[in-house]
Amino acid sequence: MRKEFFIIGTGLFILSLAAHFLFKTSLLIAISIFILLIIGIFNSMQHKHSILRNFPVLGYFRYMFEEIAPEIQQYFIERTTDGKPFSRNERSLAYRRAKNISDTTPFGTQLDINTSSYEGLKHSIFPAKVNHELPRVSIGGADCTQPYSASLFNISAMSFGSLSENAIVALNKGAQKGNFYHNTGEGGLTQYHLQGGDVTWQIGTGYFGCRNEEGNFDAEKFAKKANHPFVKMIEIKLSQGAKPGHGGVLPAAKNTEEIAEIRGVKPHTEILSPPCHTAFDSPKGLIEFVARLRNLSNGKPIGFKLCIGQTSEFEAICQEMMEQNCYPDFITVDGAEGGTGAAPLEFSDGVGMPLEPALIFVNKTLIRLNIRDKIRIICSGKIISGHAILKAIALGADLCNSARGFMFSLGCIQALRCNTNKCPVGIATQDRMLEKGLVIEDKFERVYHFHKNTLHAANELLAAAGKTNYTEVDVSLFMRGNEFTHLSDLYFPDNLSNVTKH
């Protein structure tokens, strides 16, 4: 294609130049063609891009279409029930509830419900009265002197750095108005998290905000921040669903001077949190660390977050709790479905246990060891609707966190550019120009409404099932599509197909 490009390009240049002198046409055409020829020569000589080397100038169209491929997929190809990780219908639901407008849909479901993958709630012919009071759950065991009354639905871990200043402030102000908590993520407790909303301070392997010069845990720095009145709980992050067994990643483009100062690292460099903690390296050390943080925070609820991998390791942690007679106040279970964090594809697609079996395993393990009543289970993973909340509770959770759901409430369009610093709606970016597109005064109201309307939907589903309290929710309230196959076998046995029609 190089040869054809230069032959045709040279010919067009000569013709346009001749037309200018003979017919007084604009010289601009000839100049434009000449510039394209120069670019083509450069393309054919460079060694980095094979496409441009073989298809001078024309190869740029390939990169242009590649750049806008997600938008083409999302706006022109994707159906309302398509889209990953969230379908257009799911995103639309979050947008409507955040805007506090009608969230109803017309003309019946668009899903194929006659399949084994269908999951439905078993409603009652005699529904209960809908409770308009939003549910809360008390967190704090026997050793906790400052128990916390948490909302059933809260903001999951998202760091300042991963998210913009405006996004963090809007989330926290929404949490304040709606009386639910906002998890800081492992990036540290910042001034943007202290806008009045309740806070769960997450301590990751980098110990950002409570680390010494060597990057290890600093008890004095921790105690100072942990005792802030807005900090209601402390969460130790062992692993996260997006990349279990891999440290957090903050791209260099997002690591501004301010973020570097907050985290105690060098600015404009990629921040890779260690995959493991230095404060402990065993179940025994973890439980001792839980006790240590509880003491340093003067009795605030302490828990840990993990994505389940080797089940024996979680069982060993539970055994250590019993040995030391020291229990975390909560355990946050994350699913391998991932979250907002940037991660290598191998970790996103092929490491960790999905949320459903993880929740079931953790709940059953605590019950089997007779310690379930001592610990709250928090579910974190793709919770975006009232149905998802009820299902998580049925599988063993006491309350739920959501990251991407609240990002949708801020205006996230699932552009899948979170790790590039080019988030078009100003959420997952440190680009000041893009960040200005997110107006805090408007978005914090949407955060508040999304929380309120989603929990109201959960209350309506609870009432539809004939229940008045979330403690009554279990797996018996749900049906799966493979049950219908059994029903078909009962009422329409195979031998009926041989009956002769009369």
Side-chain angles (χ1 to χ4, degrees), residues 213-424:
E213 292 182 359
E214 291 74 37
N216 298 320
F217 177 72
D218 187 310
E220 185 177 343
K221 289 181 180 178
F222 170 81
K224 183 178 180 180
K225 291 187 176 181
N227 285 286
H228 192 288
F230 290 159
V231 176
K232 303 300 182 182
M233 302 196 298
I234 313 295
E235 180 180 81
I236 305 163
K237 193 192 88 168
L238 302 180
S239 58
Q240 65 183 93
K243 45 184 176 294
H246 190 286
V249 180
L250 184 70
K254 287 187 173 184
N255 184 17
T256 64
E257 299 278 350
E258 180 184 25
I259 290 167
E261 184 178 354
I262 290 170
R263 298 194 179 196
V265 297
K266 186 178 179 181
H268 311 301
T269 59
E270 185 177 62
I271 303 177
L272 297 173
S273 301
C276 58
H277 282 264
T278 56
F280 56 88
D281 60 2
S282 65
K284 182 176 185 294
L286 170 61
I287 302 307
E288 289 174 347
F289 193 60
V290 167
R292 186 182 182 193
L293 297 191
R294 186 179 283 131
N295 180 58
L296 290 169
S297 64
N298 290 307
K300 291 186 177 181
I302 309 294
F304 57 82
K305 173 182 178 178
L306 81 169
C307 176
I308 296 294
Q310 298 179 33
T311 55
S312 60
E313 292 183 337
F314 180 77
E315 291 171 335
I317 292 172
C318 292
Q319 291 292 341
E320 192 60 42
M321 296 175 195
M322 298 165 69
E323 286 285 332
Q324 297 189 33
N325 193 27
C326 176
Y327 301 90
D329 299 289
F330 64 91
I331 296 173
T332 303
V333 181
D334 206 2
E337 294 85 351
T340 58
L345 186 64
E346 294 90 344
F347 280 83
S348 292
D349 287 355
V351 182
M353 187 183 291
L355 183 63
E356 279 192 33
L359 262 180
I360 294 169
F361 165 72
V362 169
N363 185 50
K364 294 292 186 183
T365 300
L366 297 181
I367 291 172
R368 176 170 54 83
L369 296 174
N370 200 30
I371 57 174
R372 179 65 178 87
D373 61 328
K374 301 178 185 296
I375 303 168
R376 294 294 190 186
I377 297 177
I378 303 174
C379 158
S380 175
K382 296 194 75 172
I383 307 297
I384 198 173
S385 67
H387 184 275
I389 290 174
L390 250 68
K391 182 180 173 185
I393 292 171
L395 296 176
D398 292 299
L399 61 154
C400 302
N401 289 348
S402 176
R404 288 170 289 185
F406 283 99
M407 286 179 70
F408 288 136
S409 74
L410 289 173
C412 169
I413 60 172
Q414 196 169 283
L416 305 181
R417 299 184 186 276
C418 308
N419 61 330
T420 65
N421 204 37
K422 296 179 181 179
C423 172

Side-chain angles (χ1 to χ4, degrees), residues 164 166-167 169-171 173 409-410 425-427 434-447:
S164 68
N166 286 9
V169 171
L171 288 170
K173 284 181 173 289
S409 74
L410 289 173
V425 293
I427 298 174
L434 292 172
E435 188 179 336
K436 288 179 180 178
L438 196 159
V439 180
I440 294 171
E441 289 72 20
D442 173 63
K443 301 305 182 186
F444 91 80
E445 291 284 352
R446 295 192 183 191
V447 170

